[in-house]
Amino acid sequence: METGSKIEELVEISRYYGSDPDYVIAGGGNTSYKDDRYIWVKASGTELGTIGKDGFVQLDRSRLRMIGEKQYSSDVQRRESQVKEDLLAARVDPEKGLRPSVETSLHDLIEYPFVVHTHPTLVNALMCSQQAAEKTPQLFGEDALFIEPAAGYSLFVKVKERLPAYKDKYGKDPQLIFLQNHGIFVSAHTTKEIRELYEMVSGKLRAIIRPEEIKELPVTREAETLRHELSRLAGDKFVALRHNTLHRHFYGDAEAFRAISIPFTPDIMVYCGAEYIWSGRRSLPEIMEEVREGFEKYRKKYRRDPGIILVKDLGLYGLGENEKTAVTALDVYEDFMKVSKYSEVFGGPHPLSQETIDFILGWEVEHYRRERYGKDDR
Ligand SMILES: [Zn+2]
């Protein structure tokens, strides 16, 4: 059956990018296939790297189109939950209990059958840099659509508003949509073309950024002692520890740490929190004192424990309820470090605005997903 083989292709390309940490970390990214009537989009809480046919939600496109025409509440929280309800109502098989990704409407908007949305490290080095807006058309052509930071429904609205003028000018839908402080949407008639487009984008960026190899550094006994202390401090949470040359690039002094102190993307906030603790002290008691103070401040402000602690000469610590979440915090934060470092060739990092950070902190959809699944799909 025609549709069946297309879904198999969708599974294959989802796994291909989902299992490559340069493109997707943890539950990040989402993919879809559509025909005239239906769209199959990754379900919330599934991971692209291991996804199967059952990991996709089938939705009725005529019902999705209504979301674009409807007037929603001006209250952000209410609007997001209203949109969520309408997304759920567009499912063909609601009894399967799958929830469509929050970016489903955006997938539906683009007329190409295949859409692969990821948050690649190299792309985000440009998207989270000072020169994102000017360099994107220079590197990828005027027909690469660039969208300023937005999340959830407002991201959908922003893209929707730009499409008519785009179609007038180029006679087609954009195949590359670059999202500032977020990632990229690549769309095409075939998965082969999707791969070619990704190759082109990565190739151009790699030639400019020239990523250096990261080398492991020794984990000292002192570093291990601190790991136990941190676990005790956080009420027996799991603490993952790594030490490499990437950490060294940022832990030397407060100025170096500043480049990774404000999140670049919503993903970082979901997995690592909105602030991170750094200590440049020498002796273990001094480090502990500084970290304890950092913990107190963080708990007061966010009513939860911090997720990331970076300590000069010792390494990077990730906290989580279990080993998986602690390791994921490290993976996501290391990606953040790479993005920050690589963005130096594009004028340095461009973090999220305080307004966007506050919006995400109070965003019900985000909160629900984190509490429920402990992973993200944006
Ligand atoms: Zn995303």
Side-chain angles (χ1 to χ4, degrees):
M1 209 178 91
E2 167 79 343
T3 305
S5 74
K6 296 290 184 189
I7 302 293
E8 272 168 33
E9 264 188 76
L10 175 64
V11 167
E12 195 196 327
I13 195 142
S14 301
R15 288 183 179 173
Y16 178 77
Y17 287 106
S19 50
D20 186 342
D22 288 343
Y23 289 85
V24 168
I25 293 173
N30 43 58
T31 56
S32 66
Y33 167 75
K34 65 174 84 68
D35 59 22
D36 292 339
R37 281 189 68 188
Y38 300 112
I39 183 168
W40 289 259
V41 66
K42 189 193 96 162
S44 251
T46 50
E47 293 189 7
L48 285 180
T50 52
I51 201 164
K53 279 199 310 246
D54 299 338
F56 292 92
V57 197
Q58 184 183 358
L59 298 113
D60 185 332
R61 296 188 69 201
S62 61
R63 300 204 60 164
L64 287 178
R65 234 161 279 145
M66 279 153 53
I67 294 176
E69 285 146 22
K70 220 167 133 176
Q71 199 63 42
Y72 289 101
S73 170
S74 56
D75 177 87
V76 177
Q77 310 281 335
R78 280 199 54 194
R79 187 192 69 204
E80 292 297 333
S81 66
Q82 286 169 345
V83 172
K84 196 174 74 186
E85 285 310 312
D86 284 349
L87 272 179
L88 290 173
R91 291 175 298 182
V92 174
D93 305 299
E95 69 281 358
K96 285 185 182 168
L98 296 174
R99 296 157 32 81
S101 151
V102 290
E103 281 160 347
T104 296
S105 311
L106 198 48
H107 281 255
D108 185 58
L109 212 50
I110 307 158
E111 278 304 319
Y112 299 97
F114 289 100
V115 179
V116 175
H117 164 54
T118 60
H119 311 147
T121 312
L122 293 177
V123 169
N124 275 344
L126 176 61
M127 286 306 103
C128 305
S129 79
Q130 294 292 334
Q131 297 165 354
E134 52 178 290
K135 288 282 182 200
T136 302
Q138 280 175 23
L139 284 168
F140 305 108
E142 291 293 329
D143 60 342
L145 186 60
F146 178 81
I147 303 288
E148 294 78 16
Y153 185 70
S154 46
L155 173 62
F156 163 73
V157 170
K158 234 176 198 176
V159 176
K160 188 171 185 280
E161 283 171 354
R162 297 277 297 276
L163 285 183
Y166 185 98
K167 275 188 176 168
D168 275 353
K169 195 168 174 188
Y170 299 104
K172 58 165 192 174
D173 267 356
Q175 290 195 271
L176 299 177
I177 303 178
F178 287 89
L179 307 175
Q180 192 176 11
N181 288 104
H182 183 157
I184 186 172
F185 271 76
V186 177
S187 313
H189 288 289
T190 63
T191 54
K192 183 171 172 276
E193 210 184 333
I194 297 252
R195 286 182 198 231
E196 286 164 2
L197 285 166
Y198 264 114
E199 284 300 312
M200 183 273 287
V201 168
S202 299
K204 281 190 178 180
L205 289 169
R206 200 172 293 118
I208 299 169
I209 293 167
R210 302 189 174 280
E212 281 167 43
E213 200 194 325
I214 295 163
K215 294 192 181 76
E216 295 303 314
L217 293 171
V219 170
T220 60
R221 228 180 31 211
E222 217 180 7
E224 279 294 351
T225 309
L226 181 61
R227 187 158 87 109
H228 291 294
E229 292 289 331
L230 285 173
S231 177
R232 269 228 311 263
L233 187 60
D236 285 330
K237 277 212 177 74
F238 195 91
V239 182
L241 163 63
R242 276 181 211 156
H243 190 205
N244 61 43
T245 49
L246 185 62
H247 310 152
R248 195 174 60 190
H249 185 78
F250 293 102
Y251 65 38
D253 53 48
E255 179 56 28
F257 172 67
R258 226 160 53 101
I260 46 161
S261 61
I262 304 170
F264 291 169
T265 67
D267 264 10
I268 299 162
M269 292 181 59
V270 170
Y271 292 103
C272 308
E275 286 182 45
Y276 323 101
I277 295 175
W278 168 76
S279 175
R281 298 269 172 89
R282 282 275 162 216
S283 74
L284 208 49
E286 279 179 338
I287 295 168
M288 268 317 289
E289 193 191 308
E290 196 168 28
V291 169
R292 219 172 269 128
E293 273 170 29
F295 255 74
E296 265 170 45
K297 267 193 214 153
Y298 195 97
R299 280 172 171 160
K300 223 180 224 166
K301 190 166 171 185
Y302 299 104
R303 291 198 199 93
R304 55 186 11 250
D305 281 340
I308 289 291
I309 294 126
L310 179 66
V311 183
K312 189 179 176 181
D313 298 332
L314 299 191
L316 182 68
Y317 297 83
L319 272 64
E321 296 301 331
N322 53 51
E323 183 173 5
K324 196 184 177 205
T325 54
V327 166
T328 300
L330 284 187
D331 288 343
V332 173
Y333 198 73
E334 282 187 346
D335 188 64
F336 173 35
M337 288 173 143
K338 285 182 202 165
V339 169
S340 179
K341 189 165 183 260
Y342 300 164
S343 76
E344 287 163 15
V345 299
F346 301 119
H350 175 278
L352 289 173
S353 67
Q354 191 58 49
E355 194 189 352
T356 310
I357 291 172
D358 292 342
F359 168 73
I360 295 165
L361 283 172
W363 189 15
E364 193 191 282
V365 175
E366 202 68 46
H367 180 75
Y368 175 82
R369 195 169 44 209
R370 188 180 57 216
E371 297 304 313
R372 175 90 179 246
Y373 300 106
K375 52 182 82 157
D376 184 43
D377 66 325
R378 305 190 56 253

